[in-house]
Amino acid sequence: AQSVTQLDSQVPVFEEAPVELRCNYSSSVSVYLFWYVQYPNQGLQLLLKYLSGSTLVESINGFEAEFNKSQTSFHLRKPSVHISDTAEYFCAVSENDYKLSFGAGTTVTVRA
Amino acid sequence: NAGVTQTPKFQVLKTGQSMTLQCAQDMNHEYMSWYRQDPGMGLRLIHYSVGAGITDQGEVPNGYNVSRSTTEDFPLRLLSAAPSQTSVYFCASSVTAGEQFFGPGTRLTVL
């Protein structure tokens, strides 16, 4: 069975500064990897995903994540954050069987 | 498309009461699932279904029942509510492995 560890529970960051959210997973088979974002009092929205192919994936709002198979990681980065990026971010993994395992989440708070 | 809808948005129960959380999707997705979200624990899978008439247990199924009589609907039943079931519940659906669409959630408090 797969598991996901998000190494930071809280990440405070100033507006226009870079941010990195760390995610490591464990699995004995090949996996699909996801980052979801949850804005206050809302459901989860898919931010980006790795299914196959290029190990660097990007979202439409400037986030990117890189799949590193040797380090079993899928860290999320953004070079310059906005106030509107304040949210909780969840890393998730699937062993291609429709079931998602989530990390505990990282709360990003962007301050002016 | 409305996507994934959940009702109610908020619910307060007394210990021992039963209730059903409703979930519906209009995207013709075969796969549907229920999660609970608790602080510091992320989302944990309660039950899931890979199609009408087929359900299976997830990570934390105790105290919950599900059924899937149609592709569109996937209700979650609490048989005898306990304070430990106070949580936010999310329903999700998917057409492919892993990439799931989530509903807005139901915030449940059990007193």
Side-chain angles (χ1 to χ4, degrees), chain B:
Chain B
N1 284 353
V4 180
T5 58
Q6 292 183 237
T7 56
K9 291 186 177 180
F10 301 94
Q11 183 70 50
V12 179
L13 292 177
K14 295 181 179 179
T15 297
Q17 287 184 315
S18 62
M19 79 159 296
T20 299
L21 308 184
Q22 301 293 343
C23 174
Q25 52 94 6
D26 61 358
M27 298 174 283
N28 203 31
H29 288 171
E30 289 296 324
Y31 182 79
M32 296 185 73
S33 54
W34 276 101
Y35 295 86
R36 59 177 290 171
Q37 182 181 21
D38 302 291
M41 303 187 76
L43 279 76
R44 292 179 292 169
L45 182 64
I46 304 171
H47 286 285
Y48 65 98
S49 168
V50 298
I54 306 169
T55 64
D56 205 347
Q57 297 181 350
E59 182 184 354
V60 288
N62 292 342
Y64 308 95
N65 275 358
V66 293
S67 60
R68 184 94 180 271
S69 56
T70 67
T71 298
E72 294 77 19
D73 300 298
F74 191 45
L76 178 73
R77 297 182 186 86
L78 282 70
L79 305 176
S80 178
S84 61
Q85 294 179 303
T86 293
S87 187
V88 182
Y89 291 85
F90 289 100
C91 178
S93 73
S94 172
V95 69
T96 60
E99 181 178 354
Q100 297 184 19
F101 296 84
F102 284 82
T106 294
R107 187 174 296 273
L108 175 68
T109 301
V110 183
L111 303 175

Side-chain angles (χ1 to χ4, degrees), chain A residues 24-93:
Chain A
N24 288 93
Y25 69 92
S26 65
S27 175
S28 58
V29 300
S30 61
V31 296
Y32 297 155
L33 294 158
F34 305 85
W35 277 99
Y36 282 84
V37 58
Q38 184 179 32
Y39 299 105
N41 299 313
Q42 294 187 25
L44 277 72
Q45 302 172 31
L46 181 66
L47 188 60
L48 47 75
K49 62 186 177 185
Y50 169 79
L51 303 181
S52 65
S54 173
T55 57
L56 183 65
V57 292
E58 299 177 351
S59 72
I60 59 173
N61 56 355
F63 283 94
E64 64 178 30
E66 186 162 17
F67 170 52
N68 188 318
K69 187 175 182 179
S70 63
Q71 298 186 5
T72 60
S73 67
F74 191 54
H75 301 333
L76 181 70
R77 303 181 183 91
K78 188 171 185 180
S80 177
V81 296
H82 303 287
I83 297 290
S84 58
D85 292 322
T86 293
E88 190 162 18
Y89 293 80
F90 292 95
C91 183
V93 62

